[in-house]
Amino acid sequence: MVKHVLYVMPEYLPENDMPEPISIRQWQGLNTFDPYSIAESQLTDMSNMSTSDYPALSVRSGFSVLGTFGSRILGMGAWKSELHVIANDGGWHRWNGSTWTTLLTGLDTSAEWSFTVFQGNLDDINLIGVNGLVAKRYDGSTVVDLAGVPAGAKHITTYENRLWVAFKNEIRSCALDQPEKWDLFEGTDEDSYGRVIESTRGENVNMLNGSLTKLTIGMPNSLHELYGGVPSSFVTKLITDNVGVLNNKSVSAQDGIMRIIDQRAIYDYAGGNLPNQEFSQIVGGYLNSMDANTSAGSDPDLMYFRTHTNEIMVYDSRTGVGCWSRWTNIDPMFFLLLDDVMYIGDSSGRVLKLGSSTNDAGTPVSWSFTTKPFTNPTMSQRQRWLKLWLYAEIPVGTTINIYLSTTKDGNDFNLVHTVTGSGSKVERIIIPVRSVVLENTVRVKISGTGPAKIHELVRQIRQLSLF
């Protein structure tokens, strides 16, 4: 007798016999470790996506251009609620929230500026800047010379009611509360102060950062700290001669923790311990060969690190998030947070206001992200792809392209679906899987132009035999 066996295709099995769907709803940013081994909620590549709507993944906010001066911004500072910018047009420009005013012209067109605010015995808080050639102060109406500052002062900060500057391998401070007295040495606690900072490599100081408890001094390959409240108690300490700072702009502090861009990585440093790069190792693949123009900034939630031309690595430091993103098409020279708004002075002479638009000065944001290679729990076990779908918010005007790849990290993506946003609701987008139906390894790349929010990516597969 011949027995007949009815074979039912997996796609048409009864619903209660279908494999459970595998869902990703908690997007956890970038990871450049081995792509087969990272979490499914992490991404191997990303451009212009953000974790600001965590756990959803969304397109980063855009920016507006407040003004353009010359072809490069050389410095940014703030006086109360005023934004001050110096550019390579030789001008010192002030933004009062509605209009620009040029306060000074004829400045050097290549030297970068360092700023701080200080009052001391002055009539009001002053914005004070140095650039290695001149020292200037803004008193709320005009910009004038700051007298007495040592020649060549490049970096400036405040600590213990004093201004501090650096030039070559020396640091100097003004007398107590007297920003124009730098040579007062009468043997009292109000004296000026100076010290040579020695390093094993004979380097110059390239960073000063004052806080409530210490002055941090950076060199290209070492970090030092100065403690004490008056000249008689000032003491310096070498923290490490294995980690340094690329430049004075490469440091930013958030919640008492300093983040430092070194030649090799981004470190966090809270004092009392050696700098630690653990929080940035997960994106180490993007930190190779960082250029000399690195810069850093922070707001209450995010930290921004300009690592290469037109590239910003963004760290979401919120409790329970701790994710990295990568932004492109913005090339900051300086970051400045003023009244909870992040401003950028870029390499084209523009002053940008972040978060003020869904586009980049009228141009829709182009974005993309790439998943890890999806396999069975055992990589040698074959799989049959049954379904793949996406839940996303896609406003009118946004276009999304979906690609699939069958390799671990090759550039063999094939376009399988294109969606134009309706903007009405969260949409379910069915992604065709015919081209990868029996592949052991599948990566998904989604790119688009315009705002969007990705909520969930779901796949349904059947585990087959080994090999």
Side-chain angles (χ1 to χ4, degrees):
M1 177 182 292
V2 178
K3 294 184 178 180
H4 297 278
V5 178
L6 178 63
Y7 177 74
V8 180
M9 292 291 289
E11 292 90 334
Y12 303 104
L13 288 171
E15 185 174 344
N16 59 4
D17 198 27
M18 291 289 284
E20 287 293 320
I22 303 170
S23 169
I24 302 173
R25 294 184 63 179
Q26 187 176 18
W27 300 94
Q28 295 183 310
L30 278 171
N31 189 331
T32 60
F33 291 158
D34 172 58
Y36 279 125
S37 304
I38 67 176
E40 294 199 341
S41 56
Q42 294 176 324
L43 304 168
T44 61
D45 195 13
M46 177 198 293
S47 174
N48 287 329
M49 300 299 287
S50 171
T51 57
S52 294
D53 293 311
Y54 184 85
L57 190 66
S58 57
V59 179
R60 67 160 172 83
S61 58
F63 60 78
S64 58
V65 179
L66 294 185
T68 302
F69 305 98
S71 59
R72 183 184 178 90
I73 300 300
L74 298 176
M76 296 181 73
W79 182 84
K80 299 184 179 179
S81 291
E82 293 179 359
L83 175 66
H84 289 247
V85 172
I86 295 179
N88 68 352
D89 63 349
W92 181 314
H93 311 280
R94 175 187 64 193
W95 172 256
N96 64 6
S98 58
T99 58
W100 286 101
T101 302
T102 298
L103 300 175
L104 191 66
T105 59
L107 297 170
D108 187 87
T109 58
S110 60
E112 290 193 343
W113 286 73
S114 172
F115 285 101
T116 191
V117 290
F118 190 77
Q119 181 171 356
N121 64 1
L122 301 172
D123 292 336
D124 197 357
I125 290 175
N126 278 222
L127 175 63
I128 300 173
V130 298
N131 69 348
L133 302 171
V134 296
K136 301 284 185 180
R137 65 181 179 90
Y138 169 75
D139 60 8
S141 59
T142 58
V143 178
V144 297
D145 290 335
L146 179 68
V149 178
K154 281 189 174 182
H155 316 300
I156 191 167
T157 190
T158 59
Y159 170 65
E160 289 293 345
N161 294 336
R162 302 168 186 268
L163 288 174
W164 294 77
V165 298
F167 54 97
K168 296 184 179 179
N169 66 339
E170 187 174 351
I171 61 171
R172 291 279 299 276
S173 86
C174 69
L176 182 68
D177 286 326
Q178 300 183 73
E180 296 190 313
K181 286 190 178 295
W182 295 77
D183 294 301
L184 182 67
F185 298 105
E186 297 178 346
T188 73
D189 286 342
E190 295 185 0
D191 278 357
S192 309
Y193 182 79
R195 185 177 183 88
V196 172
I197 306 299
E198 297 184 357
S199 71
T200 58
R201 296 173 175 85
E203 296 173 330
N204 291 332
V205 175
N206 67 354
M207 184 275 290
L208 285 180
N209 190 284
S211 69
L212 293 176
T213 59
K214 63 181 180 294
L215 174 69
T216 304
I217 305 156
M219 289 180 165
N221 288 282
S222 62
L223 289 175
H224 311 253
E225 287 184 347
L226 181 143
Y227 305 92
V230 295
S232 61
S233 65
F234 286 151
V235 60
T236 58
K237 177 184 178 181
L238 172 66
I239 302 302
T240 177
D241 59 1
N242 292 317
V243 176
V245 184
L246 273 171
N247 61 61
N248 193 60
K249 305 176 297 180
S250 298
V251 173
S252 186
Q254 184 190 66
D255 295 332
I257 299 176
M258 181 182 294
R259 263 70 180 212
I260 298 168
I261 306 179
D262 176 70
Q263 299 176 48
R264 300 165 295 276
I266 302 173
Y267 293 80
D268 59 20
Y269 178 57
N273 297 301
L274 291 175
N276 190 314
Q277 63 170 312
E278 183 177 349
F279 90 111
S280 71
Q281 286 178 330
I282 197 171
V283 290
Y286 287 105
L287 304 181
N288 297 321
S289 303
M290 289 184 285
D291 63 42
N293 285 318
T294 58
S295 56
S298 61
D299 60 32
D301 294 332
L302 305 178
M303 302 206 73
Y304 308 84
F305 304 95
R306 189 268 192 197
T307 55
H308 303 87
T309 301
N310 290 320
E311 184 171 88
I312 306 172
M313 300 303 296
V314 181
Y315 180 65
D316 191 331
S317 61
R318 290 176 295 171
T319 302
V321 184
C323 297
W324 284 91
S325 303
R326 174 176 169 265
W327 295 2
T328 56
N329 302 322
I330 307 175
D331 195 27
M333 295 293 99
F334 297 87
F335 294 92
L336 180 69
L337 184 68
L338 176 60
D339 295 336
D340 293 326
V341 176
M342 180 60 71
Y343 296 91
I344 286 176
D346 77 2
S347 62
S348 300
R350 300 183 302 174
V351 180
L352 312 180
K353 181 180 180 180
L354 283 187
S356 56
S357 175
T358 59
N359 54 63
D360 289 348
T363 301
V365 177
S366 295
W367 53 270
S368 67
F369 66 92
T370 304
T371 70
K372 66 165 290 179
F374 295 128
T375 66
N376 271 324
T378 298
M379 290 170 56
S380 57
Q381 187 171 19
R382 300 177 63 198
Q383 59 186 354
R384 182 182 183 90
W385 284 74
L386 305 178
K387 296 178 181 177
L388 179 65
W389 67 94
L390 179 75
Y391 278 99
E393 293 178 47
I394 312 173
V396 174
T398 294
T399 299
I400 289 182
N401 293 312
I402 303 171
Y403 304 81
L404 299 180
S405 163
T406 59
T407 62
K408 175 176 75 75
D409 53 14
N411 190 24
D412 62 337
F413 285 102
N414 293 313
L415 178 65
V416 297
H417 196 46
T418 297
V419 180
T420 300
S422 65
S424 59
K425 58 185 178 183
V426 177
E427 300 181 47
R428 185 179 68 173
I429 302 165
I430 304 299
I431 303 172
V433 293
R434 290 185 296 273
S435 61
V436 297
V437 66
L438 290 175
E439 295 291 343
N440 278 23
T441 294
V442 175
R443 289 183 297 148
V444 181
K445 177 180 178 180
I446 302 176
S447 66
T449 302
K453 184 182 295 185
I454 310 300
H455 290 281
E456 185 178 32
L457 180 65
V458 189
R459 69 188 192 274
Q460 194 170 37
I461 61 172
R462 180 169 295 282
Q463 296 180 8
L464 302 179
S465 60
L466 293 174
F467 307 107

